């Protein structure tokens, strides 16, 4: 696993926001900007992956007739 894959969603978002800030304010040389952009793309992809997994977990929650959560079903069962 890479360092980014081990990050929580919140950690990756914080770093991504800092990276975007550096790029927007021109705080880096051209070469550093390219490296920041590449890392930012990896961070964004990781955040997207983690968010999609969380959305799937939420979608799997099943509700009883009274609207109370009663369990979950596998994604394949949806």
């Amino acid at each position: 696993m890479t360092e980014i894959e081990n990050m929580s969603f919140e950690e990756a978002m914080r770093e991504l926001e800092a990276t975007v800030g550096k790029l927007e304010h021109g705080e880096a040389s051209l070469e550093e900007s390219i490296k920041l952009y590449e890392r930012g793309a990896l961070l964004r992809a990781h955040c997207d992956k983690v968010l999609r997994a969380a959305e799937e977990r939420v979608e799997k929650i099943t509700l009883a007739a009274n609207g109370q959560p009663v369990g979950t079903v596998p994604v394949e069962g949806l």
Side-chain angles (χ1 to χ4, degrees):
M1 263 191 197
T2 67
E3 170 202 356
I4 291 175
E5 289 174 339
N6 292 323
M7 288 181 165
S8 70
F9 178 82
E10 293 79 10
E11 291 169 329
M13 279 301 294
R14 276 193 298 273
E15 184 175 336
L16 181 56
E17 289 170 353
T19 299
V20 169
K22 288 178 185 177
L23 289 169
E24 287 179 342
H25 292 97
E27 298 175 11
S29 67
L30 177 60
E31 187 62 33
E32 186 181 358
S33 293
I34 293 168
K35 289 178 183 177
L36 286 169
Y37 183 85
E38 291 171 340
R39 182 160 177 91
L42 294 173
L43 288 163
R44 189 212 52 82
H46 175 68
C47 288
D48 186 51
K49 177 182 169 184
V50 172
L51 188 57
R52 275 187 279 122
E55 288 172 345
E56 286 179 2
R57 288 178 60 201
V58 169
E59 288 174 359
K60 291 188 294 184
I61 296 172
T62 57
L63 301 177
N66 65 1
Q68 294 298 312
V70 293
T72 61
V73 296
V75 173
E76 301 83 37
L78 293 176

